[in-house]
Amino acid sequence: MAPRCLRYGSGDSLAKKIPPGVGPRFPQVVVLVGATGDLARRKLLPGLFHLASAGFIPGCKVIGVSLDELDVEAFRVIAREAVDTFAPRKVNEADWHAFADSLDYVPLSAGAAGLKHAVHAAEESLGGNCRRIHYLSVPPNAALSAVRLLGEAELVEHSRIIMEKPFGTDLESAVSLNGKLHEVFAEEQIFRIDHFLGKEPAQNILAFRFANGLFEPIWNRNFIDHVQIDVPETLGLGKRAGFYEQTGAYRDMVVTHLFQIVAFMAMEPPTALAPGPISEEKNKVFRSMVPIDPKDVVRGQYGGYRSEEGVDPASETETFVALKCMIDNWRWAGVPFFLRTGKKLAEGQRIISIAFREPPKSMFPAGSGVGAEGPDHLTFDLADASKMSLSFYGKRPGPGMRLDKLSLQFAMHETGLIGDVLEAYERLILDAMRGDHTLFTTAEGIERLWEVSKPLLEMPPPVRAYPSGSWGPKSIHQLVAPNAWRLPFERGWRDPNPTGG
Ligand code: BG6
């Protein structure tokens, strides 16, 4: 039987626009473990639906696996609800029916034999010459049993495995997980995902730094005073209390996403845009990272967290963390990187803010306003509709010398290409299907990050309460003093489309 291709109908322009080589060469059977969980519903099922229906994959079958005792029809209902609720694009019914046909479901109780049977049936229906992608969307303590199940079901051959973060919960568990994983899968089959690296603006950091002659010469301790990577979220836990209680904000966000962004910001120019050279430069940043001093960390917990369902009433899990991190190398010695993230905060933002050193201001008269609004900044917004801003002091028109803070801003919206942005998981799943490790993390990098985290994990400072809707516990201000947090912004982003037209 010829491999089935899930594509938009012939009249659709998207399928035609996809250049050859962007997707995998072979049809794919996706084994999605944790298929009814939060991540699968929010991102993975809508993402696979888009990849399959837009023609990125030359044939695709998705086998959902989870503890839930469902049949395939019930799984289709879950998938449809997920796509309707979370897909950023309008759902075309013909595409949906093709995707629904490609779904299958195996409860964990069916064991290795049940899973093996479903994968073989899927492969047969795709014409045989397929590749397997195992996506483990499960908490760290369930990862190994899923790996063993895949081994027992003899599904390792022709496969790649995507492992969700956090990878382990500390150095020992990450080393042990890597060791046990290697008993079943070879390193080149393993894709440790960090979806922040799949965000278009995160990759744009590389373009910005290394494709322009203007910025790289000033990208160091001589010109940069400090860096902030700030990812406040308004979201609470949703249905993730079980996962979050074991994890907390540091393991969920910092040791994973925020440190990966630090690496893109701080690394030396790689010799090529390829997995080896990029990982090498990122790992050098991690090797230069000074172990996190608990004195440089503020942990917080929003009011009411302990009375949420699934949360220990005496929980010490942090829902907020802010910290100072230092990179002790020639480029960055003495430049603090301030990181902050947390749940139920005042605003949802994902920004990187680079504060430049201030010049001597002696020629400007007192009261001119120079320096009054902080240093000049370069700011990246990591939203899918990304933005960038360079702020500077300029003269206010009229007599005398009054200075105002001005800015040059770029918004992805203005390019007309926003529709081409692949959601981070879509991009990374596609890369894994093609066997491209460039935007994935390595065992060495992850183990080093757990190593620098050790002092903090062993002696965490107490959690401080903060009210929902605030910016975290009060002590965050001492952490950055004499600097200040960029958020909340004093001046909002300029509306890229002020007329709404
Ligand atoms: C996930 C975390 O990895 O990233 C979540 O587990 C967090 O707690 C999410 O909300 C944030 O990702 P994004 O893409 O929405 O910024």
Side-chain angles (χ1 to χ4, degrees):
M1 193 200 292
R4 268 190 58 226
C5 293
L6 296 173
R7 283 182 180 273
Y8 275 137
S10 52
D12 197 286
S13 58
L14 244 183
K16 282 183 236 135
K17 259 175 37 187
I18 294 164
V22 168
R25 282 170 45 223
F26 299 100
Q28 305 283 319
V29 174
V30 180
V31 176
L32 180 53
V33 186
T36 56
D38 185 76
L39 180 66
R41 288 177 52 254
R42 279 175 186 277
K43 302 288 183 183
L44 306 179
L45 289 165
L48 286 165
F49 169 63
H50 177 232
L51 291 178
S53 55
F56 284 100
I57 315 174
C60 179
K61 290 269 179 184
V62 179
I63 301 172
V65 178
S66 90
L67 282 169
D68 295 320
E69 290 296 331
L70 305 174
D71 61 14
V72 63
E73 277 315 317
F75 180 52
R76 285 188 180 123
V77 171
I78 291 176
R80 176 71 206 229
E81 183 266 338
V83 167
D84 280 341
T85 315
F86 298 111
R89 305 163 182 90
K90 203 169 167 305
V91 179
N92 165 311
E93 283 307 311
D95 291 341
W96 165 255
H97 288 300
F99 185 69
D101 274 356
S102 81
L103 297 177
D104 196 359
Y105 184 81
V106 178
L108 271 173
S109 61
L115 182 57
K116 182 176 176 174
H117 179 262
V119 170
H120 284 266
E123 288 174 342
E124 215 168 287
S125 76
L126 286 168
N129 195 12
C130 302
R131 297 292 177 268
R132 300 165 180 160
I133 277 278
H134 306 304
Y135 197 122
L136 302 198
S137 175
V138 294
N141 62 359
L144 259 188
S145 55
V147 168
R148 291 202 188 102
L149 174 74
L150 294 167
E152 246 176 80
E154 297 174 12
L155 296 175
V156 175
E157 216 187 330
H158 295 312
S159 81
R160 298 184 172 116
I161 180 165
I162 303 182
M163 306 281 296
E164 256 304 326
K165 51 103 259 206
F167 193 86
T169 51
D170 57 16
L171 179 58
E172 287 69 34
S173 58
V175 171
S176 145
L177 181 55
N178 273 323
K180 300 218 167 85
L181 192 53
H182 286 145
E183 289 171 12
V184 183
F185 289 93
E187 181 60 22
E188 63 269 18
Q189 291 178 288
I190 304 169
F191 291 75
R192 298 174 189 81
I193 196 166
D194 189 303
H195 81 277
F196 267 50
L197 297 182
K199 287 180 186 281
E200 198 75 44
Q203 295 156 57
N204 216 2
I205 297 171
L206 300 185
F208 186 85
R209 288 190 56 194
F210 302 126
N212 299 294
L214 182 58
F215 298 103
E216 201 45 31
I218 57 165
W219 212 259
N220 58 52
R221 63 194 300 276
N222 298 325
F223 298 92
I224 292 180
D225 183 76
H226 68 274
V227 176
Q228 294 182 17
I229 300 179
D230 206 353
V231 186
E233 297 183 279
T234 50
L235 283 177
L237 295 192
K239 296 197 177 105
R240 300 169 75 217
F243 163 81
Y244 204 82
E245 265 287 274
Q246 300 169 28
T247 315
Y250 183 78
R251 288 182 172 93
D252 184 35
M253 293 291 287
V254 177
V255 83
T256 51
H257 309 320
L258 271 56
F259 280 162
Q260 294 296 329
I261 296 293
V262 169
F264 269 17
M265 286 294 305
M267 72 187 189
E268 297 300 313
T271 51
L273 188 64
I278 292 208
S279 296
E280 178 50 22
E281 295 308 333
K282 280 170 57 192
N283 288 347
K284 273 158 65 182
V285 172
F286 298 148
R287 269 179 245 142
S288 306
M289 240 183 213
V290 179
I292 305 298
D293 185 339
K295 288 203 295 296
D296 293 334
V297 180
V298 176
R299 291 169 73 238
Q301 192 183 72
Y302 62 77
Y305 173 74
R306 291 179 185 175
S307 47
E308 286 188 20
E309 199 186 323
V311 174
D312 177 352
S315 174
E316 289 289 309
T317 299
E318 79 283 351
T319 59
F320 171 98
V321 63
L323 58 89
K324 180 169 88 173
C325 152
M326 303 297 291
I327 299 167
D328 194 15
N329 64 15
W330 274 54
R331 192 186 277 262
W332 296 113
V335 179
F337 283 67
F338 296 109
L339 276 42
R340 170 169 68 172
T341 186
K343 302 289 184 199
K344 292 213 178 175
L345 295 179
E347 284 175 31
Q349 293 266 5
R350 305 174 190 101
I351 66 145
I352 304 174
S353 167
I354 295 159
F356 293 102
R357 285 193 187 284
E358 298 191 42
K361 295 161 199 125
S362 43
M363 68 174 262
F364 294 101
S368 65
V370 66
E373 293 177 76
D376 27 343
H377 286 104
L378 182 60
T379 310
F380 295 87
D381 182 337
L382 296 180
D384 283 344
S386 61
K387 296 190 276 269
M388 214 181 272
S389 156
L390 181 62
S391 67
F392 54 89
Y393 284 90
K395 184 186 170 301
R396 187 185 296 175
M401 183 54 97
R402 281 286 306 163
L403 299 165
D404 284 328
K405 198 82 178 276
L406 310 173
S407 66
L408 295 169
Q409 294 192 6
F410 163 80
M412 179 66 82
H413 267 122
E414 291 163 341
T415 63
L417 296 175
I418 195 82
D420 290 355
V421 171
L422 279 184
E423 203 280 327
Y425 283 95
E426 295 172 359
R427 160 72 199 239
L428 294 174
I429 292 172
L430 204 57
D431 282 0
M433 287 176 171
R434 290 171 41 248
D436 183 345
H437 275 96
T438 310
L439 296 174
F440 290 83
T441 59
T442 61
E444 182 194 332
I446 287 176
E447 288 175 12
R448 171 64 187 160
L449 290 174
W450 285 123
E451 194 179 21
V452 300
S453 305
K454 216 168 173 187
L456 172 64
L457 298 180
E458 284 174 357
M459 297 275 288
V463 281
R464 311 229 173 260
Y466 65 92
S468 297
S470 70
W471 288 93
K474 291 201 183 71
S475 42
I476 53 170
H477 301 296
Q478 279 137 266
L479 183 72
V480 293
N483 306 298
W485 291 100
R486 276 304 293 299
L487 291 176
F489 284 131
E490 276 174 29
R491 291 169 302 279
W493 292 95
R494 221 165 9 244
D495 182 352
N497 196 6
T499 59

